[in-house]
Amino acid sequence: MIKWIKPTRTEWTSFFIMMPFICLLLNNLLFGSRAFTDVKVWLFSFPLIYFIGCVSWYLQIALMNRLREEFPDIRQTPRRLAILGLSHFLIRTLAFIFIFTFFDSLHFLGYELNLQKLGFAVYCSLGLTLMSTSMWEANYTFNQWKLLVVEKEKLEQLTILQEFETLKSQVNPHFLFNCFNTLSSLISEDRKQAEVFLNELSKVYRYLLRNNEDGLSTLQTEIRFIESYYQLLKTRHGDAVQLEIEIDKKYDQYLLPSLSLQLLLENAVKHNVLSKNKPLVIDIFTTTGNKLVVSNTLQTRSIKGPSNKIGLENIRNKYELLSQPGFQVLEDKTSFSVVLPLIWNKITQQKLVSNEFIIKPWK
């Protein structure tokens, strides 16, 4: 069964624009001034040449599509173009020769073969081939480039998604490992406190299971979670840790990577000295320019514990994967601060709000 080629819009457009001029050119070469004055030329010669031109054009399109299937690789382009240009020139030239000799053999409308004008028609065929083939190939190359760009973007998105999933998977085991270490210490020191801690831990982990799936959470949800997480810290460290939160309500539905605040609080507790006489003060507040700042007093431990650097690098990498600039780490003699850009995304925000898991602050 014959598989008919469906020309593109560009190919149809080029045919309908160029064919009338080709008909006019050939009829002028065949009949001279009669092409503009003789009604018979318009009634019989123009339609016949138009039909032959249509067949010639379709053969060129079919051959062009066949060559694209045979030589699809970008490295094969020079070879494909060479074959295509030569083939198109031959098809169009043979069509012109056929018209001239066919009209001469029938003495159509009194025509007699003129080799000089036939030679000029062949030169015209070369020019028309260069023009039409270049236009078709330029359109094809541009469409292929667009497809490559789309495929590249999809591949990049898939890679980013995979990397983001890897970063998310680091958080839960890291968080649980630290919590179980704390619980282990409490069991040996104060069983009642250990029971309170375990109860709070169950609330917090429910958040982890529900909100870490999307990778992004609203600031409102993160703050609710961090208030519960703070109770875990209070259970373990008492008044040695203090948390102050000042959030502008207009930023409630802005987004940030899930568990960012928990990681920052955990780092602050891990790397600073905690005591009731000199408590570690952690401030969380919003600023102009859609920024959230997490700052803590700098009370660096003299003996630093081992660090796998998951916390800050995890957050930084997430912002890089989201192509969100503005993540900063600032440190001076008295404080350590991290600036988190808040992200506004209406579609994601609506999805997150619909799935939001609310944790009531511990009292």
Side-chain angles (χ1 to χ4, degrees):
M1 185 177 179
I2 299 176
K3 182 181 178 181
W4 294 98
I5 302 298
K6 184 179 180 181
T8 65
R9 179 180 296 180
T10 300
E11 291 161 355
W12 276 115
T13 302
S14 65
F15 172 75
F16 286 122
I17 290 175
M18 294 179 66
M19 200 57 215
F21 292 101
I22 294 173
C23 285
L24 188 62
L25 170 67
L26 291 178
N27 277 289
N28 185 53
L29 291 173
L30 290 166
F31 303 107
S33 60
R34 289 175 57 198
F36 304 97
T37 58
D38 194 335
V39 177
K40 292 181 180 179
V41 173
W42 287 88
L43 290 178
F44 300 108
S45 182
F46 266 89
L48 184 57
I49 292 176
Y50 199 95
F51 173 76
I52 296 172
C54 183
V55 174
S56 169
W57 166 79
Y58 188 81
L59 287 175
Q60 292 175 68
I61 298 299
L63 177 63
M64 185 166 58
N65 280 274
R66 178 64 179 172
L67 288 174
R68 287 170 182 173
E69 292 175 358
E70 289 292 326
F71 306 105
D73 196 287
I74 190 69
R75 292 169 295 184
Q76 298 172 312
T77 300
R79 184 179 179 185
R80 176 170 56 80
L81 286 178
I83 298 173
L84 184 62
L86 180 60
S87 302
H88 279 189
F89 174 67
L90 288 175
I91 292 173
R92 186 172 275 116
T93 299
L94 288 173
F96 284 8
I97 292 173
F98 173 77
I99 291 171
F100 276 75
T101 56
F102 178 68
F103 278 30
D104 178 64
S105 65
L106 296 179
H107 202 61
F108 186 72
L109 298 178
Y111 173 73
E112 292 183 0
L113 183 62
N114 184 320
L115 293 179
Q116 185 177 1
K117 290 186 176 181
L118 175 58
F120 182 76
V122 172
Y123 282 116
C124 290
S125 171
L126 177 61
L128 290 169
T129 299
L130 291 173
M131 185 188 305
S132 59
T133 305
S134 298
M135 180 168 52
W136 295 336
E137 277 301 305
N139 180 66
Y140 172 73
T141 303
F142 179 68
N143 288 333
Q144 291 298 107
W145 175 78
K146 287 197 297 184
L147 288 175
L148 286 174
V149 169
V150 171
E151 290 176 1
K152 183 181 178 182
E153 288 178 351
K154 287 182 179 178
L155 183 60
E156 289 176 350
Q157 289 293 331
L158 181 61
T159 302
I160 289 173
L161 181 61
Q162 290 173 341
E163 292 180 14
F164 208 88
E165 289 297 322
T166 301
L167 291 173
K168 286 178 359 184
S169 67
Q170 292 176 349
V171 175
N172 284 357
H174 179 63
F175 169 75
L176 284 178
F177 176 78
N178 285 281
C179 284
F180 285 143
N181 275 347
T182 301
L183 182 61
S184 177
S185 300
L186 280 176
I187 289 173
S188 60
E189 296 173 7
D190 189 334
R191 290 184 176 275
K192 289 185 177 180
Q193 281 289 83
E195 184 178 344
V196 173
F197 184 89
L198 186 59
N199 183 48
E200 290 301 318
L201 177 60
S202 67
K203 294 180 183 178
V204 169
Y205 199 66
R206 282 203 304 273
Y207 171 90
L208 297 179
L209 293 176
R210 297 290 294 274
N211 289 276
N212 196 32
E213 293 176 359
D214 287 315
L216 293 172
S217 299
T218 63
L219 176 59
Q220 184 182 51
T221 305
E222 280 286 293
I223 292 299
R224 287 172 176 166
F225 163 64
I226 213 63
E227 287 172 344
S228 280
Y229 176 71
Y230 175 57
Q231 303 311 316
L232 296 182
L233 298 179
K234 290 282 286 184
T235 303
R236 178 68 181 90
H237 302 289
D239 294 331
V241 180
Q242 296 179 8
L243 176 65
E244 298 179 6
I245 300 175
E246 187 176 348
I247 302 296
D248 191 326
K249 291 296 180 181
K250 71 179 182 180
Y251 293 117
D252 279 353
Q253 301 308 319
Y254 279 69
L255 306 174
L256 69 161
S258 298
L259 307 180
S260 296
L261 299 184
Q262 182 269 324
L263 287 172
L264 293 176
L265 261 67
E266 184 179 26
N267 274 0
V269 171
K270 182 178 181 180
H271 296 294
N272 288 278
V273 175
L274 309 179
S275 69
K276 292 182 179 180
N277 295 329
K278 193 177 181 182
L280 176 68
V281 180
I282 303 172
D283 292 307
I284 301 176
F285 57 92
T286 51
T287 65
T288 56
N290 305 340
K291 305 288 185 183
L292 179 71
V293 180
V294 180
S295 179
N296 62 266
T297 50
L298 199 58
Q299 302 168 184
T300 310
R301 297 177 186 269
S302 56
I303 300 177
K304 296 184 178 180
S307 174
N308 50 23
K309 298 182 180 180
I310 284 180
L312 281 176
E313 285 306 309
N314 186 292
I315 301 170
R316 186 193 305 276
N317 290 338
K318 283 182 178 179
Y319 275 108
E320 288 178 358
L321 290 174
L322 292 167
S323 300
Q324 290 292 330
F327 177 83
Q328 291 179 284
V329 177
L330 308 173
E331 183 176 350
D332 56 32
K333 293 182 180 180
T334 60
S335 65
F336 181 87
S337 302
V338 177
V339 181
L340 303 175
L342 295 174
I343 306 164
W344 174 248
N345 186 317
K346 189 175 182 180
I347 297 175
T348 308
Q349 176 258 318
Q350 289 174 346
K351 177 183 176 184
L352 289 168
V353 171
S354 64
N355 294 328
E356 187 175 291
F357 179 73
I358 299 176
I359 300 177
K360 294 182 179 179
W362 182 83
K363 295 181 180 180

